[in-house]
Amino acid sequence: MNALVLPNRRIEEWKYTDLHNAVDAEAVSSAPTAAWAIARAQGDLDIDDLPKQVPFGPHGLMAGLAASLAKAGPSIRVRKGEKASLELDLTESGNGRVLIVVEEGASLTLIERQVVDGFINIAAEIEIGKNARVSHLRLVPRGDAVRVADYAVIVAAGGTYRAHLADFGGKLSRTELHMVLEGEGAEAHLSGVSILDGVHADVTTEMNHAVGNTRSTQLFKYVASGAGRGIYQGKVAVAEGANGSDSRQSAKGLLLEDRAEIDLKPELEILADDVKCAHGAAVGDLDAESLFYLRSRGIPEAEARTLLMRAFIGDAVDQIESEALRDTVWQAVDKGLEAMS
Amino acid sequence: MLEIKNLHAAVDGKEILKGLTLSVGAGEVHAIMGPNGSGKSTLSYVLAGRAGYDVTSGSILYKGEDLAAMSPDERAAKGVFLAMQYPVEIPGVTTLTFLKTALNAQRRARGEKEVDAVGVLRLVREKAAAMKVSEEMLKRALNVGFSGGEKKRLEILQMALFQPALAILDETDSGLDIDALKLVAEGVNTLRAPDRAMLVITHYQRLLNYIVPDRVHVLAKGRIVAEGGKELALKLEAQGYEQIIKDAA
């Protein structure tokens, strides 16, 4: 039997996230099957075990292992025109598999929490039907886990996928989102915040505008202190003939200490003629002038820094449509900032 | 209220203030005038405690306490306020949130009870009307997209809200048209009080037509070179800095 070699920094897509260094190959292949608990389910949805044949969308390097090693997993379906919300808590680590299908005209609000540590490797399929909508919040508290979560999301004509990744890091934390905007009018809006106090978080996205008149936005914010490390790798690909595609991509980082590191790598690959694409990335420190202005008004240093960090993160959190979910993320952010100061 | 004695201060290691002595009593309004590069802004930043503006010798006593030993936020809580020449734009923090946070931080530091959101809004509205600061401005991010005049009006609104014992106005007239200047001056004049001192730092005499000072000091090359009553400002306007500085030498 060939020895399993895990992705490492010699592989371009894993340059900043060395899984090989973080976990033994043996621990990966012998890991149990991950399990979820349904914390809350509302509306009309079917929850079953995975079918015999699970589709396998465009994924990254680790998803194949998860798919072949996971013995079971939840399969969630929202039928045509129905509305549902679901809160899924990952309760047992290991290799995991999830299938989510939201049929034509249906909508799903999905809140996913990863509260366990250990080794986690999840491959998830999300299929969004015509004119269907999915709002996805992925909440990962700070921990010691080594985790990879790889989503393949396929959006049909007129469908919308919104995802917010609030990842407060782990020993290694990698989220991959492989998006295919497959039908005209399909949209994807990705955002995320990471407060990384000595921990690691990597968001790697691939946004495929397969057909024209599709829209995508991405807005990610990172704050890193201690030996914290934040990574954003985002590739936007506009296929030949996908005219009228509109894509925006922005990632920004705030480095609070010299030891911290933030790597931002937006990429564009455009094969169509008539498209609107904008991307940007910037890393900086808290603005000294702003800090002085706030302090000169009586705001103590720690409070002024927190205020400026919240301001920095704010527009990414504002991408979340639901006020309740925004509040949930703000609470997590405030906890993260408080722990850091 | 404020006693500055033989103050030497350096910015990034370069000496800018070279033996400045100045005394401002409660209830008084003093003007500091000087040409570009004389050290006016350095003085205002030294008084507010900006990092990189270091006192190398001499002393600054505020109500008998060593001001230089305090952090910028301590100074503010104890009643020192600097209306800045270039108020900073802070995206992501609404003006109202900022005012509430600052007011309550000062109150907390003084051991006073914090004011709730409704109370802050009432206080701010009361002051905002006089300074023609609209509700819409209060909802916008702090100073972001504000015109020069709007920024200065917001500085004076803060002064009215915080009720400082010592207010330093750094080039408050710069970038203002005559109507905005009158409005700002009126705002400042309403705040003149027997228990409050003001230091008006300006290049031009124009502002002093509206905020009439008790004393005028001329700053040149980091020192006060001439002093007098309000008529000194007029003399400066007529003769220019060069002549006055030469006469003083």
Side-chain angles (χ1 to χ4, degrees):
Chain A
M1 196 176 143
N2 286 334
L4 173 66
V5 178
L6 295 174
N8 56 62
R9 60 174 178 272
R10 282 184 294 279
I11 296 170
E12 183 62 24
E13 295 81 20
W14 292 77
K15 189 173 158 190
Y16 306 108
T17 298
D18 196 326
L19 189 61
H20 176 76
N21 239 343
V23 67
D24 286 342
E26 168 61 22
V28 173
S29 50
S30 66
T33 294
W36 285 265
I38 290 162
R40 197 156 165 262
Q42 260 189 334
D44 225 325
L45 78 171
D46 305 338
I47 305 171
D48 294 303
D49 292 331
L50 285 174
K52 284 237 152 47
Q53 293 288 319
V54 182
F56 191 81
H59 278 289
L61 283 176
M62 287 299 288
L65 266 179
S68 64
L69 293 170
K71 306 270 188 290
S75 169
I76 291 134
R77 179 176 294 267
V78 185
R79 296 200 178 272
K80 194 170 167 180
E82 299 293 348
K83 235 179 159 159
S85 68
L86 177 69
E87 293 184 23
L88 274 183
D89 289 354
L90 185 76
T91 49
E92 284 169 50
S93 61
N95 290 298
R97 192 86 175 100
V98 185
L99 171 64
I100 294 170
V101 179
V102 180
E103 294 182 358
E104 185 175 342
S107 79
L108 172 69
T109 300
L110 172 68
I111 302 171
E112 189 199 353
R113 278 180 290 256
Q114 289 204 344
V115 286
V116 289
D117 281 335
F119 172 74
I120 300 162
N121 181 31
I122 311 290
E125 313 295 326
I126 302 180
E127 294 183 4
I128 301 173
K130 274 188 189 165
N131 302 316
R133 295 174 63 86
V134 171
S135 290
H136 181 185
L137 169 63
R138 178 176 153 81
L139 205 56
V140 181
R142 185 175 187 272
D144 292 325
V146 172
R147 69 172 85 85
V148 179
D150 187 325
Y151 301 82
V153 184
I154 297 174
V155 189
T160 302
Y161 176 66
R162 305 186 75 94
H164 187 87
L165 313 176
D167 188 343
F168 296 87
K171 186 176 170 196
L172 181 151
S173 186
R174 163 109 158 184
T175 306
E176 295 192 24
L177 277 166
H178 300 270
M179 309 288 316
V180 183
L181 302 177
E182 199 181 52
E184 290 231 346
E187 294 188 18
H189 303 282
L190 314 180
S191 58
V193 293
S194 281
I195 316 281
L196 305 168
D197 186 9
V199 284
H200 167 281
D202 169 339
V203 172
T204 295
T205 69
E206 199 187 332
M207 182 69 70
N208 290 296
H209 289 256
V211 299
N213 299 319
T214 45
R215 263 188 77 213
S216 68
T217 60
Q218 298 186 57
L219 179 56
F220 288 88
K221 293 284 174 86
Y222 297 80
V223 177
S225 70
R229 186 134 191 218
I231 296 118
Y232 170 82
Q233 307 184 101
K235 185 175 166 189
V236 172
V238 182
E240 205 177 331
N243 292 326
S245 292
D246 187 340
S247 162
R248 267 154 244 270
Q249 190 186 19
S250 167
K252 284 185 181 151
L254 207 49
L255 280 178
L256 300 183
E257 285 172 62
D258 291 344
R259 284 188 299 151
E261 185 174 327
I262 296 173
D263 300 288
L264 308 174
K265 202 175 126 194
E267 264 186 277
L268 276 175
E269 183 189 292
I270 304 172
L271 300 176
D273 307 320
D274 175 24
V275 296
K276 267 196 267 183
C277 288
H279 69 170
V283 178
D285 194 357
L286 278 181
D287 180 49
E289 286 223 24
S290 302
L291 201 55
F292 170 64
Y293 188 82
L294 295 176
R295 294 189 70 194
S296 79
R297 286 349 186 207
I299 303 173
E301 185 171 10
E303 197 180 345
R305 291 177 70 90
T306 303
L307 195 64
L308 290 176
M309 286 189 269
R310 282 182 118 251
F312 170 75
I313 291 163
D315 57 353
V317 179
D318 283 344
Q319 301 300 307
I320 304 170
E321 282 184 323
S322 141
E323 195 183 341
L325 295 192
R326 274 203 304 275
D327 288 348
T328 304
V329 171
W330 273 126
Q331 280 171 21
V333 165
D334 285 339
K335 208 174 132 194
L337 292 178
E338 201 178 309
M340 209 151 66
S341 64
Chain B
M1 181 78 72
L2 180 68
E3 292 280 345
I4 304 176
K5 276 194 192 134
N6 194 27
L7 177 67
H8 291 252
V11 183
D12 297 327
K14 186 173 181 254
E15 187 170 68
I16 306 288
L17 298 182
K18 300 167 182 173
L20 185 145
T21 296
L22 178 71
S23 171
V24 185
E28 295 174 0
V29 174
H30 288 220
I32 300 215
M33 300 185 69
N36 290 332
S38 57
K40 298 194 299 291
S41 281
T42 299
L43 175 62
S44 69
Y45 283 141
V46 166
L47 291 175
R50 183 170 181 158
Y53 290 72
D54 303 317
V55 173
T56 48
S57 70
S59 66
I60 310 170
L61 290 183
Y62 165 68
K63 291 184 172 175
E65 285 188 86
D66 179 7
L67 192 68
M70 299 177 204
S71 69
D73 40 296
E74 278 178 276
R75 297 178 201 209
K78 285 180 189 272
V80 178
F81 177 83
L82 167 63
M84 292 195 195
Q85 184 178 3
Y86 303 109
V88 181
E89 298 187 4
I90 306 187
V93 179
T94 68
T95 304
L96 194 59
T97 301
F98 158 72
L99 293 173
K100 178 173 181 269
T101 308
L103 181 69
N104 278 330
Q106 292 188 21
R107 294 182 66 92
R108 210 164 46 234
R110 292 193 293 260
E112 296 164 11
K113 207 169 159 273
E114 292 190 28
V115 185
D116 64 15
V118 177
V120 172
L121 190 60
R122 202 179 49 232
L123 273 174
V124 170
R125 275 188 181 147
E126 201 180 287
K127 314 293 183 194
M131 291 318 297
K132 293 193 175 160
V133 169
S134 66
E135 290 277 319
E136 191 261 330
M137 272 171 72
L138 294 173
K139 282 181 196 149
R140 269 154 58 187
L142 181 60
N143 286 321
V144 176
F146 287 21
S147 70
E150 285 173 334
K151 284 178 184 169
K152 297 297 170 77
R153 268 149 50 198
L154 189 65
E155 293 290 289
I156 306 306
L157 183 156
Q158 290 177 51
M159 183 172 153
L161 184 67
F162 303 147
Q163 297 279 322
L166 171 66
I168 305 142
L169 291 91
D170 186 9
E171 307 273 0
T172 293
D173 50 331
S174 72
L176 295 188
D177 63 27
I178 193 70
D179 291 334
L181 182 72
K182 278 184 181 167
L183 186 72
V184 163
E186 218 168 278
V188 172
N189 285 330
T190 345
L191 290 166
R192 290 179 89 141
D195 56 353
R196 180 171 294 133
M198 292 189 197
L199 203 54
V200 180
I201 297 174
T202 182
H203 184 100
Y204 300 104
Q205 184 266 341
R206 187 174 74 143
L207 179 67
L208 305 180
N209 287 333
Y210 301 95
I211 304 172
V212 180
D214 299 304
R215 296 289 293 166
V216 174
H217 311 262
V218 179
L219 183 64
K221 295 188 177 126
R223 304 182 60 185
I224 302 291
V225 295
E227 282 180 288
K230 61 187 180 202
E231 65 288 344
L232 180 57
L234 294 167
K235 196 175 158 196
L236 267 173
E237 185 79 355
Q239 300 182 358
Y241 281 110
E242 224 170 289
Q243 189 59 44
I244 303 266
I245 293 166
K246 209 184 282 168
D247 290 352

